[in-house]
Amino acid sequence: MITQYKLALIGFGNVGQGLAKILSDKYSFLKDKFGVDIRIVAVCDLYKGSLADPKGLDPAMLLNHIELHGDLKSFGEINTDWDAKETITKSGADILVELAYTDLKTGEPALSHVKQAMNNGMHISMTNKGPVALHFPELKRIATKNKVQMGIEGTVMSGTPSLNLACEMLLPAGITKIQGILNGTTNYILGEMEAGADYEDALKQAQELGYAEANPAGDVEGNDAAAKVVILGNLLMDLSLSLSDVDCMGINKLTADDIKQATAHNKHWKLIGTVEITQTGYLASVKPEMLTNEHPLAAISGATNAITYSTELMGDITLIGPGAGRLETGYAIIEDILTIHKNSH
Ligand code: HSE
């Protein structure tokens, strides 16, 4: 049996385009193998324009149009003048894919979008860390009240299944500590600087490759990694962390000389996020650490992320995989949809 899922996308930047590429290449595979007929029925992007078609928009056509025109504004009659709120109410979608820019101070505008959608009976898939890091308990309550599901796999380690895998298979083993490289942009920059690149050039490359946040200050100052520490601690350790509970320092104070010194001593600077249960409560931090070559996280390069989950029953389990990128984060939405599908049947 095939189940149809109609998606409304809020935001059509890197992640939305990554999702469109996956659907354009894998639509039939996903339908035949997993029984999901996934269609994008509406796209609403503040800058690129809005369009909708209840039968489904051809994802390849969306990508071609962006390539040719840089926006989605000249399609003719399928173009709408809907804003995000109207897209939620008028598109007939059953899953809201929230990809608006991340705001780690208020979570807006994504927070309002996901609340409105869940109160309208829509499931959610979001890669946007703002609402999850700031308002997870409230969002869970709204999801439960409306009997809808909230997919958040892409908020940590992009499509690498750091949350689903841990929730389903590692929680029973008793997670006591989580430590990892949680930000792809900074790991990429640090690697490029080790190879001799200038900080600004490395950051520019990370932006071009689609790793960095719309405002990359969130990456280099450590706030993006801190948001992921909060998400991991709250989801996997039942903590009630806020961003202010994370002792946070970014990589922006590291100099080219610091990097050179470390390399000369066979060491590597890495931005490490940690959340740990202690006898008196918890410890949560993000800070640059100089690791020796022998450290398991020292060899993690480029935009790759890694998390070591320390557990009571299984000891340490390390997951290594992509932490950012268009296709990699777009794939997280496919995982969310497959999870929604599995839980609904
Ligand atoms: N800017 C983030 C990173 C994207 O570089 O890891 C993925 O959350």
Side-chain angles (χ1 to χ4, degrees):
M1 198 184 93
I2 306 288
T3 309
Q4 192 175 87
Y5 291 97
K6 294 182 179 168
L7 315 183
L9 273 54
I10 305 296
F12 200 66
N14 285 319
V15 182
Q17 290 173 42
L19 173 65
K21 174 75 179 134
I22 295 170
L23 289 177
S24 140
D25 293 348
K26 301 281 182 192
Y27 170 80
S28 300
F29 168 71
L30 291 167
K31 190 170 161 190
D32 298 344
K33 186 87 181 161
F34 300 99
V36 289
D37 170 0
I38 305 174
R39 298 178 186 214
I40 299 173
V41 295
V43 177
C44 171
D45 186 290
L46 204 53
Y47 304 105
K48 298 187 182 78
S50 299
L51 64 168
D53 182 342
K55 294 192 292 299
L57 298 157
D58 178 357
M61 180 187 78
L62 297 178
L63 294 172
N64 283 341
H65 206 82
I66 289 278
E67 178 123 12
L68 286 175
H69 305 281
D71 64 32
L72 299 169
K73 289 180 184 160
S74 47
F75 274 104
E77 62 179 28
I78 55 172
N79 274 116
T80 68
D81 57 2
W82 297 346
D83 62 12
K85 286 195 172 111
E86 287 172 294
T87 303
I88 293 165
T89 50
K90 293 180 178 170
S91 63
D94 32 44
I95 301 181
L96 178 75
V97 181
E98 166 49 55
L99 309 170
Y101 59 89
T102 292
D103 178 324
L104 289 177
K105 292 209 164 64
T106 65
E108 295 292 2
L111 179 65
S112 298
H113 300 161
V114 296
K115 282 186 187 174
Q116 185 199 349
M118 289 197 287
N119 284 324
N120 276 13
M122 292 165 81
H123 301 296
I124 302 292
S125 169
M126 66 179 138
T127 60
N128 192 316
K129 285 145 279 190
V132 190
L134 300 173
H135 297 285
F136 186 64
E138 183 192 359
L139 293 176
K140 279 290 285 183
R141 275 197 300 277
I142 297 175
T144 307
K145 186 183 96 197
N146 290 290
K147 299 188 176 62
V148 295
Q149 299 177 58
M150 196 170 58
I152 59 168
E153 183 60 70
T155 59
V156 179
M157 279 182 90
S158 65
T160 308
S162 60
L163 302 180
N164 277 331
L165 178 78
C167 278
E168 292 203 7
M169 298 298 164
L170 299 181
L171 272 185
I175 300 175
T176 54
K177 180 175 175 183
I178 298 170
Q179 183 165 54
I181 294 173
L182 302 173
N183 181 270
T185 301
T186 48
N187 206 50
Y188 179 83
I189 293 174
L190 291 172
E192 290 297 297
M193 287 177 76
E194 275 185 9
D198 168 74
Y199 172 85
E200 294 297 338
D201 288 343
L203 173 58
K204 199 158 158 265
Q205 281 170 33
Q207 287 176 299
E208 279 165 14
L209 290 163
Y211 303 150
E213 297 299 301
N215 177 359
D219 296 294
V220 297
E221 291 170 8
N223 299 322
D224 175 78
K228 291 163 183 170
V229 164
V230 168
I231 295 169
L232 289 162
N234 291 352
L235 192 70
L236 303 179
M237 292 170 152
D238 266 340
L239 297 172
S240 303
L241 297 178
S242 306
L243 274 172
S244 58
D245 296 320
V246 183
D247 188 10
C248 179
M249 187 193 292
I251 64 157
N252 47 334
K253 302 251 159 52
L254 285 180
T255 64
D257 200 47
D258 291 328
I259 310 261
K260 226 185 262 167
Q261 293 287 336
T263 314
H265 293 93
N266 278 331
K267 293 182 178 168
H268 306 271
W269 282 105
K270 296 286 176 193
L271 187 66
I272 303 293
T274 306
V275 53
E276 179 175 10
I277 305 291
T278 64
Q279 288 194 331
T280 50
Y282 66 86
L283 279 176
S285 66
V286 170
K287 54 180 191 284
E289 294 186 22
M290 197 163 53
L291 308 181
T292 61
N293 269 340
E294 292 71 45
H295 193 287
L297 298 179
I300 306 299
S301 64
T304 302
N305 282 188
I307 294 184
T308 299
Y309 305 86
S310 300
T311 69
E312 288 166 355
L313 300 182
M314 288 290 295
D316 286 356
I317 296 171
T318 299
L319 180 68
I320 300 172
R326 290 184 179 89
L327 283 181
E328 295 84 346
T329 313
Y331 181 67
I333 295 157
I334 301 291
E335 290 173 74
D336 282 344
I337 296 167
L338 290 174
T339 304
I340 289 168
H341 180 64
K342 193 176 82 183
N343 292 342
S344 309
H345 287 79

